[in-house]
Amino acid sequence: MGNFVANEGLSIFVILVWLGINAYLFVQFYFNFLTPKWFYTRVLLGHALSWARAPAAALNFNCMLILLPVCRNLLSFLRGTIQCCSRTAARQLDRNITFHKLVAYMIAFHTAVHIVAHLFNFEYFMDAQLNRNSSLLTFVLSEIGTGDNLPFLNPIRTNETNPTIVMFTTIAGLTGVAITLALILIITSSMEVIRRSYFEVFWYTHHLFIIFFIGLVFHGYGRIVRGQTNKSLNISRPERCADQFEDWGKPGSNCSVPVFAGNPPGTWKWVLAPMILYVCERLVRFYRSHQKVVITKVVMHPSKTLELQMKRKGFSMEVGQYVFIQCPSVSRLEWHPFTLTSAPEEDYFSAHIRIVGDWTQELYEACGGDKNETQEAWKLPKVAIDGPFGTASEDVFRYEVVMLVGAGIGVTPFASILKSVWYKRIQNNQDVFTKKIYFYWLCPETQAFEWFADLLQSLEGQMTEKGMTDFLSYNIYLTRWKENEAAHFRVHHEAENDPITGLKQKTLYGKPNWDNEFTNIATTHPGTKVGVFLCGPPQLGKSLEKQCRSHTEADVKFIFNKENF
């Protein structure tokens, strides 16, 4: 229970508060439109009025939140500010994309309810105009504003029209259609299969959020949904005058024709501050993207992984941080995130880029990856860098015992950590709080080991020389292999160094037994907080998170931290 509270307690509290505010706004605004001010509007629309307005209030709240989780510079600033006070609170900022998705789902839900309710409203408005019977209150209300110079209540002014025409000839209708189409494209292109296989589609359609917010701000300016004004309400109370509608405004009548008005648009009050913050965020990114970046070295690894070593004036980083890279010769609009694999102590920063898509393939070719001869420096492409931005890995040296779990290319943030360990503990002999690191690397194929093995060999040699081999325990797992490879491994199994990595520590085959690993660590380090850091697929994350919750041996708390992967 203690591990669960430490890992998920604050997250659950935040989600419950968010859901509570959504529920409160929905219920509050639902009942707000059951008051006498909206009596005559409800005569035309019934409860569909409340079902349209309640989700609109919740929409405003969620649209206020949706931009904040993607303000990377703001989150990095907040993370650096609060992590000195609360690591638990700072760790929640690493789940920004998860919260961004949850808010997006909530926007989609409230939008659907809002649209369905308004479709009923338009039908009710139309029915009131078509049933032209002066003995019906609905028809009398629909006629207000036709010849008496009073504001109308029914936006459909004639029986010779239809809701579709009104939808495309009013501000509310046009902006509503634009908002809905933009939202559908944004959400559908954000699905995992699209984002992974067709990143450009996801990238470009996501920028329809500009149309979405413009339409959102202007959506209420038509003031189609109207209620009785306060002045008219004081003179002609609906509970007294509704049954006397045939005598409204006639001599001797105590009831005048009611006057209606729409609420002033208020969405801008909700979204103005987040929009300003996001504009500032974009200005900071624009400034950073125009700072000169020099590629000092390009390394082509055999596993088709491109390593770029770069320098930029004033660049400062922490372990495990990431940057966004743009290459104008490949695409002027696309920015892609890559984890930094260099250590803060080095005089350059680097990223290892796996060639898996069109953009990375074009960058690979622009850097001369498809050529045998050495590429001259002046022929290398220009790149722009935005960042660095903070991640969960920044907290790695705040734990006395650390578990690092990387899967495939997910090992990249731990390259920075292990390099920094090498500088701190061996070269500079700095005293760090972390006393023990357990490193696990899961790879599906032997080629994936090639670029990272050199770093581990160097680290292994240095720690052996300094007599510090107990500081780092690492386990490398090959999760898939071919029969001819297995025969080769068996022949060389008795060799001093591993036949795959060249390390003294032999490669293990299959997948780790996480229950045994967690139990052993908990038994070895009683009464300790163990930081568990993962960069890997969601399925592995769920497995590790489950282990963190279930293991409480010797009062050990496993604190789970997951990188975006």
Side-chain angles (χ1 to χ4, degrees), residues 50-88:
S50 291
W51 279 103
R53 302 312 302 161
L59 266 173
N60 288 337
F61 169 64
N62 286 284
C63 289
M64 176 186 73
L65 298 178
I66 192 70
L67 290 177
L68 299 179
V70 291
C71 290
R72 296 191 293 264
N73 289 288
L74 174 64
L75 293 179
S76 291
F77 171 76
L78 291 176
R79 201 179 197 289
T81 302
I82 66 176
Q83 70 177 355
C84 58
C85 304
S86 173
R87 282 182 293 180
T88 303

Side-chain angles (χ1 to χ4, degrees), residues 17 37 41 75 86 111 123 140 177 192 214 280 320 328 358 431 496 498 529 546:
V17 169
K37 175 179 180 177
T41 316
L75 293 179
S86 173
T111 299
E123 288 298 326
V140 172
V177 170
E192 186 78 10
I214 292 174
C280 293
D358 295 339
D431 185 27
E496 182 179 355
D498 184 77
K529 279 189 177 181
K546 182 179 178 181

Side-chain angles (χ1 to χ4, degrees), residues 234-255:
N234 292 330
I235 298 173
S236 181
R237 301 289 298 182
E239 59 268 22
R240 175 170 54 86
C241 297
D243 294 334
Q244 305 176 33
F245 65 91
E246 294 180 339
D247 298 326
W248 283 350
K250 292 181 179 179
S253 174
N254 293 324
C255 298

Side-chain angles (χ1 to χ4, degrees), residues 295-310 341 346 348-355 360 363-375 380-381 409 419 450-455:
I295 299 177
T296 57
K297 189 177 182 180
V298 176
V299 182
M300 306 296 179
H301 295 281
S303 53
K304 209 170 184 184
T305 298
L306 174 68
E307 179 185 355
L308 295 181
Q309 296 184 9
M310 298 162 283
T341 53
E346 293 174 315
Y348 65 89
F349 61 96
S350 65
H352 284 70
I353 302 169
R354 186 176 56 173
I355 313 305
T360 53
L363 178 64
Y364 180 77
E365 294 172 0
C367 293
D370 57 341
K371 300 178 178 64
N372 294 325
E373 66 274 9
T374 303
Q375 188 85 333
L380 292 173
I409 198 66
K419 282 185 180 181
E450 293 166 342
W451 74 270
F452 195 68
D454 290 342
L455 171 62

Side-chain angles (χ1 to χ4, degrees), residues 265-305:
T267 300
W268 66 271
K269 298 176 183 178
W270 291 86
V271 301
L272 180 62
M275 289 174 69
I276 291 175
L277 278 174
Y278 190 77
V279 169
C280 293
E281 168 83 11
R282 299 299 298 193
L283 290 174
V284 171
R285 295 186 196 176
F286 180 79
Y287 169 74
R288 280 180 168 177
S289 67
H290 283 73
Q291 292 181 300
K292 185 178 180 180
V293 177
V294 178
I295 299 177
T296 57
K297 189 177 182 180
V298 176
V299 182
M300 306 296 179
H301 295 281
S303 53
K304 209 170 184 184
T305 298

Side-chain angles (χ1 to χ4, degrees), residues 75-76 78-80 82 88-97:
L75 293 179
S76 291
L78 291 176
R79 201 179 197 289
I82 66 176
T88 303
R91 206 165 58 247
Q92 305 312 307
L93 299 177
D94 300 322
R95 302 181 179 182
N96 59 316
I97 299 302

